[in-house]
């Protein structure tokens, strides 16, 4: 079987990593994969040579809006087409979504959250999975300080990623000179330099380490393994890939109990942060004013963070639970079975 995977292969972001993960998943089952660069790559920070489309099925790992506005779609690539579209707001589908979805034979949703967003179109639910950690094994030398971490992309709508919530959580949890630090990994800070400057100012005097360079994947996994806890006070996530990566790295998680991450984040490895649904106050990128998303409870997150710091047995229990969640809920074998089954169906039909 030959399959085309179209994506942002010269980009370092969640959507790009997802395209690479799908390609690797299929190749693990002896599928021949053509990696096709989407026409608009945003920036070329990773060397990449695009293959020639020749597959029986094309999997489009691009945003639905960009598929239309950038004229990415090429029906001639193959006879069948699958959409893997990322979107984060459950009650606010973008205007171009229907047009993009109508071009596909079916959509693949990697979380129940995305499946709800895809409602009304032929949708197949694939389990979420993580394999990237296996490509970059190894341990990092631990810092003696208790280390919290959060990674986000300024261009992926910082208001949704909510790094302010992580900073507020850390500040509330630690104020007495504890041996702690917070690593904040921020990509594409040039997309909103004023916001980023203001955000950095809010951490002055705090034990915060900012990392803004675009790290190779091996260095990213090394950094992630330095953490004692990963925090995401997001307002919504289609998948929550960095949360899944933290679990794969054996790092306990404190994260908003809303979005795609609820599929694989449970109390064996994490503290699910309670929230209330609120309308956003202004338009933020593609998210219209008034669209509903989560407002996580910073106080609850801070209490959980301090509990992990003080109660090492609790921390060790969550760390050990990560391996069980990785096996039960992020296992690539289940995702590969589902993907191959659908591809075989599409090729026969």
């Amino acid at each position: 079987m030959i399959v085309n995977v179209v994506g942002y292969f010269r980009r370092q972001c969640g959507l790009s990593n997802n395209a690479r993960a799908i390609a690797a998943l299929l190749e693990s089952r002896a599928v021949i994969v053509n990696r096709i660069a989407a026409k608009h790559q945003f920036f070329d920070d990773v060397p990449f040579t695009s293959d020639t489309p020749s597959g029986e099925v094309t999997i489009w790992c691009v945003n639905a809006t960009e598929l239309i506005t950038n004229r990415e779609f090429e029906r001639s690539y193959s006879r069948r087409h699958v959409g893997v579209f990322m979107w984060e707001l459950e009650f606010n589908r973008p205007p171009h979504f229907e047009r993009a979805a109508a071009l596909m034979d079916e959509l693949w949703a990697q979380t129940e959250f995305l499946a709800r967003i895809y409602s009304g179109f032929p949708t197949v639910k694939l389990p979420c999975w993580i394999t990237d950690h296996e490509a970059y094994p190894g341990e990092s030398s631990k810092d003696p300080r208790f280390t919290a971490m959060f990674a986000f992309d300024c261009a992926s709508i910082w208001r949704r990623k909510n790094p302010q919530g992580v900073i507020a959580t850390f500040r509330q949890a630690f104020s007495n000179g504890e041996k702690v630090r917070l690593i904040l990994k921020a990509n594409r800070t040039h997309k909103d330099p004023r916001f980023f400057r203001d955000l950095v100012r809010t951490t002055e005097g705090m034990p915060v380490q900012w990392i803004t360079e675009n790290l190779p994947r091996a260095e990213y996994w090394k950094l992630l393994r330095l953490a004692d806890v990963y925090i995401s006070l997001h307002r919504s996530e289609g998948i929550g890939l960095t949360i899944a990566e933290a679990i794969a790295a054996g790092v306990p998680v404190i994260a908003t109990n809303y979005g795609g991450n609820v599929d694989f984040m449970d109390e064996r490895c994490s503290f699910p942060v309670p929230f209330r649904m609120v309308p956003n106050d202004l338009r933020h990128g593609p998210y219209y004013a008034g669209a509903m998303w989560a407002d996580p409870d910073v106080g609850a997150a801070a209490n959980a963070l301090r509990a992990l710091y003080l109660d090492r047995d609790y921390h060790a229990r969550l760390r050990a639970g990560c391996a069980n969640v990785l096996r039960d809920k992020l296992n690539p074998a289940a995702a590969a079975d589902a993907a191959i089954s659908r591809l075989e169906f599409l090729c026969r039909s």
Side-chain angles (χ1 to χ4, degrees):
M1 185 188 304
I2 303 175
V3 173
N4 305 315
V5 177
V6 181
Y8 307 108
F9 287 102
R10 292 199 296 270
R11 185 177 169 188
Q12 286 289 4
C13 68
L15 199 60
S16 305
N17 294 335
N18 199 45
R20 287 187 277 267
I22 288 173
L25 184 78
L26 298 179
E27 286 174 332
S28 73
R29 294 298 180 89
V31 174
I32 298 171
V33 176
N34 296 318
R35 289 169 171 79
I36 314 299
K39 297 171 189 173
H40 188 57
Q41 285 287 320
F42 298 91
F43 58 91
D44 299 340
D45 62 329
V46 178
F48 179 75
T49 301
S50 184
D51 296 328
T52 301
S54 63
E56 301 162 75
V57 178
T58 299
I59 302 173
W60 296 89
C61 298
V62 299
N63 288 321
T65 298
E66 289 159 356
L67 190 81
I68 300 301
T69 58
N70 295 338
R71 297 182 174 87
E72 294 285 358
F73 184 68
E74 294 288 351
R75 189 172 297 279
S76 62
Y77 280 3
S78 62
R79 187 171 62 90
R80 294 295 191 185
H81 299 271
V82 172
V84 182
F85 302 148
M86 293 297 109
W87 186 247
E88 288 82 20
L89 293 194
E90 188 173 1
F91 310 107
N92 177 230
R93 221 155 55 182
H96 292 302
F97 187 95
E98 283 76 11
R99 290 176 59 192
L103 296 169
M104 302 294 135
D105 292 285
E106 63 186 37
L107 304 179
W108 286 2
Q110 291 162 256
T111 64
E112 293 292 347
F113 184 81
L114 286 173
R116 293 198 300 271
I117 292 172
Y118 294 173
S119 176
F121 294 95
T123 300
V124 174
K125 172 65 172 64
L126 264 64
C128 194
W129 74 94
I130 290 289
T131 57
D132 205 14
H133 65 294
E134 296 172 347
Y136 306 106
E139 296 294 330
S140 300
S141 299
K142 296 290 290 182
D143 191 282
R145 292 168 292 179
F146 183 85
T147 300
M149 178 180 163
F150 177 53
F152 67 101
D153 189 329
C154 289
S156 191
I157 313 303
W158 59 261
R159 179 75 170 180
R160 177 179 65 82
K161 292 293 188 179
N162 193 24
Q164 301 95 319
V166 173
I167 293 167
T169 294
F170 189 85
R171 182 184 289 112
Q172 187 170 326
F174 306 117
S175 59
N176 298 312
E178 298 94 340
K179 292 182 178 180
V180 296
R181 66 170 175 165
L182 172 61
I183 296 176
L184 291 172
K185 172 69 183 77
N187 283 350
R188 292 192 285 175
T189 59
H190 65 282
K191 289 293 185 179
D192 198 334
R194 180 176 178 180
F195 153 74
F196 186 68
R197 285 195 302 270
D198 290 345
L199 187 66
V200 171
R201 287 193 190 101
T202 69
T203 65
E204 289 178 358
M206 296 175 62
V208 173
Q209 178 184 353
W210 285 98
I211 299 175
T212 57
E213 62 265 32
N214 200 24
L215 298 178
R217 290 298 286 171
E219 290 301 310
Y220 169 78
W221 279 100
K222 182 179 178 180
L223 179 68
L224 185 57
R225 291 187 175 102
L226 289 173
D228 294 290
V229 59
Y230 186 85
I231 311 176
S232 177
L233 272 289
H234 61 269
R235 301 185 184 279
S236 189
E237 286 284 6
I239 294 179
L241 186 59
T242 62
I243 298 169
E245 289 170 341
I247 294 169
V251 178
V253 169
I254 297 171
T256 312
N257 194 30
Y258 179 72
N261 52 292
V262 303
D263 281 16
F264 50 81
M265 193 187 84
D266 63 34
E267 293 180 354
R268 289 179 293 173
C269 66
S270 66
F271 179 86
V273 176
F275 65 93
R276 61 191 181 99
M277 295 299 290
V278 299
N280 69 5
D281 52 350
L282 300 169
R283 177 166 182 162
H284 301 287
Y287 309 139
Y288 293 106
M292 302 298 291
W293 56 15
D295 181 26
D297 186 335
V298 167
N303 289 339
L305 180 57
R306 188 156 185 83
L308 280 171
Y309 170 71
L310 293 173
D311 188 342
R312 297 309 168 93
D313 289 339
Y314 176 43
H315 182 269
R317 189 162 64 250
L318 292 191
R319 184 180 284 280
C322 288
N324 296 327
V325 172
L326 179 64
R327 180 197 63 222
D328 297 343
K329 296 188 175 183
L330 292 167
N331 193 322
D337 288 345
I340 293 299
S341 175
R342 292 312 304 170
L343 290 172
E344 289 176 344
F345 172 81
L346 290 168
C347 289
R348 288 195 306 267
S349 60

